[in-house]
Amino acid sequence: MKNRFLTLTILFVLLTVAPNTLAIDYTQWNLPEGAKARLGKGAITDIKFSPDGTRLAVGSSIGVWIYDVQTGEALNLFTGDMGSVYSASFSPDGRALATRSEDATIRLWNTNTGKIIRKFTGHTEPVNSVSFSPDGRMLVSSSREKTIRLWHTKTGHLITTFTGHTRPVNSVSFSPDGNTIVSGSEDKTIRLWDISTGELITTLRGHTKPVHSVSFSPDGNTLVSGSRHNIICLWDISTGKIVRKITGHTDDVNSVSFSPDGRMLVSGSEDETIRLWNPNTGELITTLTGDMGRVHSVSFSPDGNTIVSGSYDSTIRLWDTNTAQLIRKITGHTVIVRSVSFSPDGNTIVSGSRDGTIRLWDIATGKPLIRTLTGHTGPVNSISFSPDGNTIVSGSADATIQLWDITTGKISRTLTGADYVYSVAFSPDGNIFVSGSVDMIIRLWHTNTGHLITTLTGDMGAVITVSFSPDGNTIVSGRVGKTIQLWDITTGKIIRTLTGHLGPVLSVSFSPDGNTIVSGSEDKTIRLWNTNTGQLIRTLTGHTEQVYSVSFSPDGNTVVSGSWDNTIRLWSTNTGHLIRTLTGHTGPVNSVSFSPDGNTIVSGSWDGTILLWELEP
């Protein structure tokens, strides 16, 4: 009896605790082969409530995330071979989810299992929008190829194709009675289509810029549209005329939607605001703000009491409709990761992103270690730890360099004087650091004082990448002008210039013994050079797009490269042979680096995630 009670107790604990544990440990979900953890959840592209209002489907650059609305916890991640997911739509019963992605296909997912039910193929260019009919029997999609297609949900068969738009179709939706489809296009028109006949009913003209979003009112009598010229239009369906123009946004209107009772209208804009409007009068009810960046997706919950928004800062926000107060933030998503680096002890990763933020990640947990560091007003292009691990230097497109105190997470110093900063790196002793920028100048700075020590000038284009030699006496730089230059720190003179690349040099690094330099270029090649003679040792080929980042392993026997072709490759420095190709990122790989012990590689990508790869012993 005692053993039976113990068994039942363990079973109860597993059933109650396991789901929450799974929900929290999202760093391990659906990892590509060879990866041991994923940091960050990718950039947000679309957000939709489930019909019962309990879940959110969040389209992202790596797949679809499912969240619990009440807790904000991630419940699942749907991934496949489709790359970024740009739109998601729940079926009316909530059992299926339709997604569109960059590969021109539509996928139907089982929301309970996360398995793909079927694929819809036929579009020849990326799909821009998908939506279910009210009864769930049909699915409508629009594409950059200017067509709209109607599909049978259960069979996946194409019912009909609507043609007539002269530019890509950005948004499609069914009328509440399911008899009509509305489409909004970059050709500045809105079109209404009869589902039973496949014929065009009417064309609505009035926008002077591309139409981004269209949606019916709950009673089906009115249509709302948002466009690139900051204006929201309300249309009378019976007459095809504009009932009202709503103004107030100061930039593109990306998303518009009626509340379930039709008494309110919500809009999200490039002007970084969300606005609630009275559709009957066109009056502004309230404006929701919160330092969130450009808003690309807004939607009402089924009961109309909550609004969900997705924005450029990669945070999901839930707002109370009645009070206009922020209810909850769901964080962890990130935009394009420009640079990643290990701390000297190997326990922390620092990443710099296109959104101007710097994040510190705990390797053991995959969670942000300290906080998100904010201060730059432009993309963070390059970051580096000081050798003692106490300081981070960052270079940004905002033309500033910032030094950060790791303990406090505060900026210790902001340095100005350089133009758009491409690259920064500490010297081996940490006393100085170097920066390269678009103004073709290499600058040496004193770490403790922030004073400019000297400038190294050349005339071969912007300095994209810089790095110190292991002894700290030499700097290597790569330029837009396809050259690599070696500089003497003491004299500030060029020691030698290495030529051979056929495109801009995007990344350079010394081997641990300082005898070899590796370079990656826009010409899709990696080259190994003899530091002492400047002679080319060998050229490594295999990447199909430009090589953004290259780095040596701590023992110098391996080079890792990251490329625009979305892959990471490992090469033998002795033979030049390709050892292994790592795939799993859904966007270009901007930055790669070995851990201090050489057992792990970290990669940062345009897909907004960081992957940790465990190397075989």
Side-chain angles (χ1 to χ4, degrees):
M1 186 70 179
K2 183 176 180 181
N3 289 337
R4 183 182 177 189
F5 175 77
L6 180 60
T7 301
L8 289 173
T9 302
I10 294 171
L11 181 61
F12 173 79
V13 170
L14 288 173
L15 290 174
T16 55
V17 174
N20 287 334
T21 302
L22 178 64
I24 292 171
D25 193 20
Y26 61 80
T27 64
Q28 303 297 313
W29 294 354
N30 297 324
L31 290 173
E33 184 180 355
K36 62 180 182 180
R38 179 190 293 110
L39 312 181
K41 299 178 181 179
I44 299 169
T45 56
D46 190 28
I47 308 176
K48 292 292 191 304
F49 274 99
S50 62
D52 62 8
T54 62
R55 292 168 295 167
L56 291 174
V58 179
S60 82
S61 53
I62 63 169
V64 183
W65 292 88
I66 305 297
Y67 286 95
D68 184 292
V69 172
Q70 292 299 318
T71 65
E73 287 188 17
L75 302 175
N76 209 338
L77 169 63
F78 302 166
T79 61
D81 56 352
M82 69 283 189
S84 297
V85 171
Y86 293 117
S87 179
S89 179
F90 276 102
S91 61
D93 62 10
R95 296 178 181 177
L97 185 74
T99 63
R100 56 102 178 175
S101 55
E102 60 191 6
D103 65 359
T105 65
I106 301 159
R107 289 167 174 78
L108 198 64
W109 306 78
N110 182 309
T111 54
N112 293 319
T113 65
K115 302 296 184 183
I116 295 176
I117 300 170
R118 67 180 50 85
K119 293 181 182 179
F120 301 80
T121 59
H123 282 296
T124 58
E125 291 191 41
V127 178
N128 288 336
S129 180
V130 290
S131 182
F132 279 97
S133 62
D135 61 10
R137 295 179 180 178
M138 292 180 288
L139 189 70
V140 65
S141 61
S142 69
S143 168
R144 291 199 61 80
E145 80 210 4
K146 311 167 192 175
T147 67
I148 300 157
R149 303 195 182 210
L150 191 64
W151 311 84
H152 194 284
T153 307
K154 287 189 176 180
T155 65
H157 292 158
L158 178 66
I159 300 171
T160 189
T161 300
F162 304 94
T163 60
H165 280 296
T166 59
R167 295 290 304 278
V169 184
N170 293 327
S171 180
V172 287
S173 182
F174 280 93
S175 61
D177 62 11
N179 295 325
T180 308
I181 289 172
V182 62
S183 58
S185 168
E186 287 188 17
D187 65 13
K188 309 172 190 176
T189 70
I190 298 163
R191 304 194 182 208
L192 295 171
W193 310 84
D194 187 293
I195 290 177
S196 58
T197 66
E199 299 295 326
L200 176 67
I201 300 171
T202 188
T203 300
L204 310 182
R205 304 179 190 277
H207 284 293
T208 59
K209 294 288 181 67
V211 180
H212 287 166
S213 180
V214 288
S215 183
F216 278 98
S217 61
D219 61 12
N221 295 326
T222 308
L223 186 71
V224 63
S225 59
S227 83
R228 194 177 292 172
H229 66 161
N230 313 348
I231 293 175
I232 300 165
C233 290
L234 292 169
W235 307 78
D236 185 301
I237 296 298
S238 60
T239 65
K241 303 295 184 182
I242 294 177
V243 178
R244 176 172 296 107
K245 288 186 177 181
I246 299 176
T247 60
H249 281 297
T250 58
D251 210 331
D252 299 6
V253 178
N254 292 326
S255 182
V256 288
S257 182
F258 277 98
S259 62
D261 61 10
R263 295 180 180 179
M264 286 186 291
L265 188 67
V266 65
S267 59
S269 169
E270 292 280 310
D271 67 11
E272 305 183 9
T273 68
I274 300 164
R275 304 196 184 208
L276 283 171
W277 311 86
N278 183 325
N280 296 318
T281 65
E283 292 179 355
L284 178 66
I285 299 171
T286 189
T287 301
L288 311 179
T289 60
D291 192 27
M292 54 194 162
R294 303 190 295 269
V295 181
H296 50 72
S297 179
V298 287
S299 181
F300 279 97
S301 61
D303 62 11
N305 293 326
T306 308
I307 290 170
V308 65
S309 66
S311 54
Y312 183 72
D313 70 352
S314 292
T315 298
I316 302 164
R317 289 173 172 82
L318 294 167
W319 309 83
D320 187 295
T321 308
N322 300 311
T323 65
Q325 297 299 308
L326 181 64
I327 301 170
R328 179 175 296 108
K329 287 184 182 181
I330 300 175
T331 59
H333 287 273
T334 49
V335 296
I336 294 172
V337 178
R338 291 280 183 93
S339 181
V340 289
S341 181
F342 277 97
S343 61
D345 62 10
N347 295 326
T348 309
I349 286 173
V350 63
S351 64
S353 297
R354 184 181 179 182
D355 63 5
T357 63
I358 298 165
R359 288 176 171 85
L360 292 168
W361 307 85
D362 186 326
I363 298 297
T365 66
K367 305 291 183 180
L369 179 63
I370 301 176
R371 60 179 64 85
T372 298
L373 311 181
T374 58
H376 282 297
T377 58
V380 178
N381 295 324
S382 181
I383 46 177
S384 179
F385 270 101
S386 61
D388 63 10
N390 295 327
T391 306
I392 289 173
V393 63
S394 59
S396 169
D398 65 12
T400 69
I401 299 164
Q402 293 183 336
L403 291 167
W404 306 80
D405 186 297
I406 295 299
T407 305
T408 64
K410 302 294 184 182
I411 297 173
S412 55
R413 186 168 288 108
T414 298
L415 311 179
T416 59
D419 206 329
Y420 185 111
V421 181
Y422 277 115
S423 183
V424 289
F426 276 103
S427 62
D429 62 11
N431 292 328
I432 59 176
F433 64 90
V434 62
S435 65
S437 65
V438 75
D439 61 10
M440 301 189 289
I441 298 174
I442 299 167
R443 291 172 171 84
L444 288 171
W445 309 82
H446 194 286
T447 304
N448 293 326
T449 65
H451 291 160
L452 180 64
I453 300 170
T454 190
T455 58
L456 313 178
T457 59
D459 58 357
M460 299 298 290
V463 182
I464 299 176
T465 176
V466 288
S467 182
F468 274 95
S469 61
D471 63 11
N473 295 325
T474 309
I475 288 173
V476 62
S477 64
R479 291 179 179 267
V480 168
K482 309 174 188 177
T483 63
I484 299 163
Q485 292 175 321
L486 293 170
W487 303 81
D488 186 295
I489 296 296
T490 306
T491 65
K493 302 296 184 182
I494 294 176
I495 301 170
R496 64 180 51 88
T497 298
L498 314 180
T499 60
H501 277 298
L502 303 178
V505 180
L506 306 178
S507 181
V508 289
S509 182
F510 278 96
S511 61
D513 62 11
N515 293 326
T516 308
I517 291 168
V518 63
S519 59
S521 169
E522 201 169 285
D523 66 11
K524 308 175 188 178
T525 70
I526 300 157
R527 304 196 182 210
L528 293 170
W529 311 81
N530 184 302
T531 306
N532 299 316
T533 66
Q535 296 299 307
L536 178 66
I537 300 171
R538 63 177 51 90
T539 301
L540 313 180
T541 59
H543 280 297
T544 58
E545 298 288 347
Q546 54 258 53
V547 180
Y548 270 121
S549 181
V550 287
S551 182
F552 278 97
S553 60
D555 62 11
N557 293 327
T558 308
V559 164
V560 63
S561 59
S563 167
W564 185 272
D565 64 14
N566 301 1
T567 70
I568 299 153
R569 304 196 183 208
L570 293 168
W571 312 81
S572 169
T573 54
N574 296 319
T575 66
H577 292 159
L578 178 65
I579 300 170
R580 187 180 179 190
T581 300
L582 306 176
T583 59
H585 279 298
T586 60
V589 181
N590 290 328
S591 183
V592 287
S593 181
F594 278 94
S595 60
D597 62 10
N599 295 327
T600 305
I601 288 171
V602 62
S603 58
S605 168
W606 272 57
D607 66 17
T609 68
I610 299 161
L611 287 174
L612 293 175
W613 307 85
E614 190 165 27
L615 301 183
E616 298 174 359

